[in-house]
Amino acid sequence: MSEMLRSSGYMSNQRPLPNANLEDLLKCVICYDKLVDAKMCPFCSKLCCKMCIHKWLIENRSQCPHCRSSLRLDQLVTCRFLKDITQALENLTMNKTEEVSDKCATHNCPLNYFCTTCDNPICSDCAMFSTDHKGHEFQHLQSVYKKHVEQINTESKSLNKRVKDLEILLAELDINIEKFRTAKEEKSRELILYMEQIQSRLENQLKEKLNILSSNRDKIQDEIRRLRIMQIELEKELSNVAKSKLIAKSADLVKKLKAIQSMPSTKYDSSSLSCEFNSEVIPAYESGVFILKNFSQIQQTTEVVYSDILHINGLMWRLKVYPNGNGVAKGNYLSVFLELLKGYGESAKYDYRVEMIHQVDPNQNVLREFASDFETGECWGYNRFYHLEQLKNEGFISFEDTLIMNYYVRAPNYYQLHKDQGNYIKQLLEKELLNKEQIKDLHMKLEKYEGKKDVSDYELDELEEKIQEINDKEEVKRTEDDIFKEKVANSPNELSSMIQRYMMSPEEISSDEELTPKQLNWNELQDIPDFHSCSELMSQDFLESPEGDEKEFSPLGENLIKAIGSLHSLLK
């Protein structure tokens, strides 16, 4: 048939298939390179490298890259015969290349010998007639070639061992990848189930709130219906009853109507019912209030004012307000910023809100909210928070010239909250250790000077009382720390309920009483005996105030300084 087609001229223009197409057939359909440890799809018979098809099935999808049939690793067919075909094709190509290249460049003769002195292959003319190889030693090229091939094959066998070891490791990695994927899918299912449970609990919260509102609504409707029926009956009675009888009943009817009117409507009030829903994913906001009295005077005399410090898990926040604006907004807008006064030395994201209170209608409060990455000493907020001319006209400044602002801060998730609490606990433990060392030092000094005759019993009793007071405060702090850590470890779902109780500063947690830091002047501190030897204590217990001219000591630090001062006096 083919001869007839050729004789008719139909196939006269057809060219024979080039050798390159054979090589293309033996290429991987994924990387388009020479096949390495070939694997075949049982559905379309296309060939792929083992590593390529494994990576494809694990990282992309469980389908053949060519025919898109569903495919698993255990379904791949190993093609051992292709290795022999590929090797034969390489040998054929190599022999053709050798026939062309294994000739002497000088004499154009085949290279038959190998000069061991020069370490180069040569032809017979070079060995016999060339002066360059006079006195050199020669060997047949074929024998030298066989030795090199044997050496390469020997090393190749050890390489094959390494390949097998790597293949075992690769198989283990593939298994581990599958394990990790399975674990991730399992965790995803757990999260989906947990989110469904959270959604269910939210629905229950909504149902409870709606039940209360619906109950109040039904009661109001019932009372309206009863009042309307009463009105209809009164109208009938007024139109049908004789005048004398109506006059006789008038006092009772008026009394009854006044009693109904005096009934309180607050029992139907639902304003106390919060619209907020408890979240198990995002922590609740912590809030502070900033009241600016004499706002007009502050606006003319003060560039920036600060709120009281808000302590949250050892973090110190405050509101920073420019009454007359800041930067490009100066003179036109009220500028408001939230500042992280004290942090843990690394940047972290927090959600925050700033709310300006309307003096008449709470529904007109101005609320700005955002999320930013805060570092210690960094401020984020709004240069153009609100136009200055509209503050008083729109009712945000009271008749007493007062502006009220609320600010709210929270960690964006319980992971960050847990991290802050961990840093806070670590800080408290370090401070506790330092205080224990100081108490130990005080006891040693007390024992040293208890035997001195010039020390009065009253002074010793006073010093012992101070040490006992420090011990009591440390015991209280230790107990509260243990309770806090136990609840965090044993009841992760109670985190949100514990925030209100345990968000306090290191100064506040060190005593049973409600303590506030005391401002001590530097001149007063200089008068305390042995003040300069307390540098380690001071570095732990004071913070710079915004003005920079005063230092702030915790009551515990103040007591320790006084105790050391008393010891210094006893020593003298």
Side-chain angles (χ1 to χ4, degrees):
M1 182 70 179
S2 59
E3 293 296 332
M4 293 175 61
L5 290 173
R6 286 194 186 92
S7 62
S8 63
Y10 181 77
M11 296 182 63
S12 59
N13 294 327
Q14 299 294 323
R15 296 182 180 179
L17 188 67
N19 293 334
N21 287 349
L22 180 59
E23 296 179 359
D24 292 340
L25 292 174
L26 300 177
K27 286 184 178 180
C28 173
V29 298
I30 297 176
C31 66
Y32 296 103
D33 203 349
K34 186 177 71 172
L35 286 164
V36 178
D37 198 359
K39 299 289 183 180
M40 185 175 70
C41 172
F43 304 104
C44 64
S45 301
K46 289 295 181 180
L47 302 173
C48 307
C49 300
K50 179 181 178 181
M51 187 177 296
C52 294
I53 190 63
H54 278 216
K55 187 175 181 181
W56 173 274
L57 295 177
I58 292 172
E59 297 184 4
N60 292 318
R61 62 191 68 178
S62 299
Q63 293 180 347
C64 173
H66 182 260
C67 66
R68 304 300 179 186
S69 299
S70 179
L71 184 62
R72 300 191 310 272
L73 289 175
D74 57 357
Q75 292 178 313
L76 294 171
V77 178
T78 302
C79 302
R80 296 183 179 85
F81 66 92
L82 281 175
K83 184 176 181 181
D84 298 334
I85 294 175
T86 305
Q87 187 64 42
L89 184 62
E90 289 179 354
N91 293 338
L92 180 62
T93 306
M94 186 171 56
N95 291 335
K96 290 182 179 179
T97 306
E98 287 178 355
E99 290 177 1
V100 176
S101 60
D102 279 3
K103 287 189 177 182
C104 178
T106 305
H107 303 101
N108 198 22
C109 295
L111 299 174
N112 298 324
Y113 298 97
F114 186 83
C115 178
T116 57
T117 306
C118 299
D119 201 21
N120 281 323
I122 58 176
C123 66
S124 56
D125 289 351
C126 291
M128 295 177 63
F129 306 112
S130 176
T131 57
D132 295 337
H133 299 280
K134 188 175 182 180
H136 290 185
E137 294 184 359
F138 309 109
Q139 292 183 6
H140 286 286
L141 182 63
Q142 186 65 25
S143 62
V144 175
Y145 170 75
K146 286 182 179 180
K147 289 180 181 179
H148 282 276
V149 169
E150 289 175 359
Q151 184 179 2
I152 291 172
N153 287 332
T154 302
E155 296 298 328
S156 178
K157 289 180 181 179
S158 61
L159 188 63
N160 288 335
K161 182 180 181 302
R162 178 172 175 80
V163 169
K164 290 181 180 179
D165 293 340
L166 290 175
E167 286 178 346
I168 293 172
L169 291 176
L170 182 62
E172 292 177 354
L173 284 175
D174 290 341
I175 293 172
N176 288 334
I177 289 173
E178 288 294 333
K179 287 182 179 179
F180 279 111
R181 287 184 179 277
T182 303
K184 179 258 180 185
E185 293 297 329
E186 183 177 352
K187 188 61 65 176
S188 297
R189 287 192 293 270
E190 289 178 1
L191 289 174
I192 292 171
L193 180 61
Y194 180 62
M195 294 306 295
E196 290 176 352
Q197 293 173 354
I198 291 177
Q199 186 67 28
S200 176
R201 286 190 282 270
L202 281 175
E203 293 292 338
N204 289 336
Q205 291 182 47
L206 176 62
K207 187 176 180 180
E208 291 175 1
K209 294 177 185 291
L210 292 181
N211 286 339
I212 295 173
L213 296 175
S214 298
S215 176
N216 289 344
R217 187 171 182 272
D218 294 340
K219 291 177 181 177
I220 292 172
Q221 287 179 341
D222 289 342
E223 186 167 350
I224 291 172
R225 186 165 50 254
R226 287 196 303 269
L227 291 176
R228 285 179 176 172
I229 292 172
M230 184 181 293
Q231 285 177 336
I232 294 171
E233 291 177 351
L234 283 174
E235 289 177 359
K236 288 181 179 179
E237 195 166 358
L238 288 173
S239 60
N240 298 328
V241 177
K243 294 179 181 180
S244 59
K245 291 184 179 180
L246 180 63
I247 293 172
K249 293 182 177 180
S250 176
D252 293 336
L253 289 174
V254 170
K255 185 177 180 180
K256 186 177 180 180
L257 291 173
K258 285 184 177 181
I260 293 173
Q261 292 177 6
S262 63
M263 290 177 63
S265 59
T266 54
K267 62 180 181 179
Y268 305 126
D269 186 18
S270 303
S271 59
S272 60
L273 195 63
S274 174
C275 293
E276 296 292 332
F277 288 85
N278 297 329
S279 175
E280 301 179 33
V281 180
I282 300 175
Y285 277 105
E286 295 295 322
S287 61
V289 181
F290 190 19
I291 301 175
L292 286 82
K293 297 181 179 179
N294 301 320
F295 180 79
S296 301
Q297 182 180 353
I298 292 174
Q299 190 178 13
Q300 296 175 1
T301 59
T302 308
E303 182 180 0
V304 59
V305 288
Y306 299 93
S307 70
D308 293 335
I309 294 175
L310 177 64
H311 297 270
I312 306 175
N313 286 332
L315 301 173
M316 298 171 63
W317 301 90
R318 68 180 179 184
L319 205 61
K320 185 177 183 180
V321 179
Y322 292 83
N324 199 37
N326 175 58
V328 295
K330 194 167 187 178
N332 295 316
Y333 288 88
L334 178 71
S335 300
V336 182
F337 300 91
L338 182 68
E339 180 181 10
L340 177 59
L341 190 62
K342 179 185 175 183
Y344 292 113
E346 59 182 11
S347 176
K349 178 171 283 188
Y350 294 92
D351 300 333
Y352 59 96
R353 293 177 177 177
V354 180
E355 183 180 28
M356 187 167 61
I357 305 301
H358 195 275
Q359 299 295 329
V360 179
D361 184 6
N363 294 324
Q364 297 187 34
N365 291 355
V366 174
L367 181 66
R368 305 276 192 268
E369 55 184 327
F370 207 67
S372 302
D373 288 321
F374 284 87
E375 294 183 359
T376 302
E378 192 170 22
C379 300
W380 287 97
Y382 310 89
N383 258 335
R384 297 180 175 88
F385 186 83
Y386 210 77
H387 206 286
L388 291 173
E389 294 180 357
Q390 299 175 354
L391 283 177
K392 195 164 188 179
N393 296 335
E394 297 185 3
F396 292 101
I397 299 178
S398 67
F399 293 107
E400 293 84 9
D401 199 24
T402 301
L403 179 67
I404 302 176
M405 306 195 79
N406 295 334
Y407 58 100
Y408 309 83
V409 188
R410 73 178 178 190
N413 46 59
Y414 276 106
Y415 171 80
Q416 183 62 43
L417 179 63
H418 175 266
K419 191 175 181 181
D420 291 343
Q421 290 174 341
N423 288 330
Y424 188 32
I425 292 172
K426 181 180 178 182
Q427 185 185 78
L428 293 176
L429 292 174
E430 291 174 353
K431 193 168 185 178
E432 180 185 25
L433 180 61
L434 177 64
N435 291 336
K436 285 182 179 179
E437 291 176 355
Q438 291 167 352
I439 292 171
K440 184 179 178 181
D441 184 57
L442 287 172
H443 276 295
M444 292 175 63
K445 289 183 179 181
L446 179 62
E447 292 173 0
K448 182 177 180 181
Y449 297 110
E450 269 184 343
K452 281 189 173 288
K453 296 180 180 180
D454 55 345
V455 180
S456 66
D457 293 338
Y458 174 76
E459 290 174 325
L460 288 174
D461 292 340
E462 184 181 3
L463 185 57
E464 287 180 349
E465 287 178 1
K466 289 180 179 179
I467 293 175
Q468 185 61 38
E469 182 182 355
I470 294 172
N471 280 327
D472 292 341
K473 291 180 179 180
E474 284 300 308
E475 183 64 24
V476 171
K477 181 168 74 65
R478 186 192 65 77
T479 304
E480 291 184 352
D481 289 348
D482 291 342
I483 293 172
F484 180 79
K485 288 185 285 186
E486 182 180 356
K487 286 196 174 186
V488 170
N490 298 333
S491 303
N493 291 332
E494 298 179 3
L495 282 174
S496 59
S497 64
M498 295 193 299
I499 292 173
Q500 296 293 335
R501 180 176 178 185
Y502 291 101
M503 283 186 179
M504 53 181 69
S505 66
E507 292 81 5
E508 292 171 330
I509 203 172
S510 63
S511 173
D512 286 332
E513 303 173 355
E514 183 178 354
L515 301 175
T516 55
K518 179 180 178 182
Q519 297 290 338
L520 297 178
N521 189 277
W522 276 109
N523 295 327
E524 296 175 359
L525 293 175
Q526 296 292 340
D527 296 334
I528 296 177
D530 207 12
F531 168 73
H532 293 288
S533 65
C534 306
S535 59
E536 182 179 2
L537 174 64
M538 291 189 296
S539 66
Q540 295 290 331
D541 285 303
F542 77 81
L543 293 169
E544 289 190 5
S545 66
E547 293 75 22
D549 57 350
E550 292 181 337
K551 302 291 178 179
E552 187 177 60
F553 283 78
S554 69
L556 180 58
E558 182 185 352
N559 290 335
L560 288 174
I561 289 175
K562 288 182 179 179
I564 294 174
S566 299
L567 284 174
H568 187 77
S569 300
L570 293 174
L571 180 62
K572 289 183 178 180

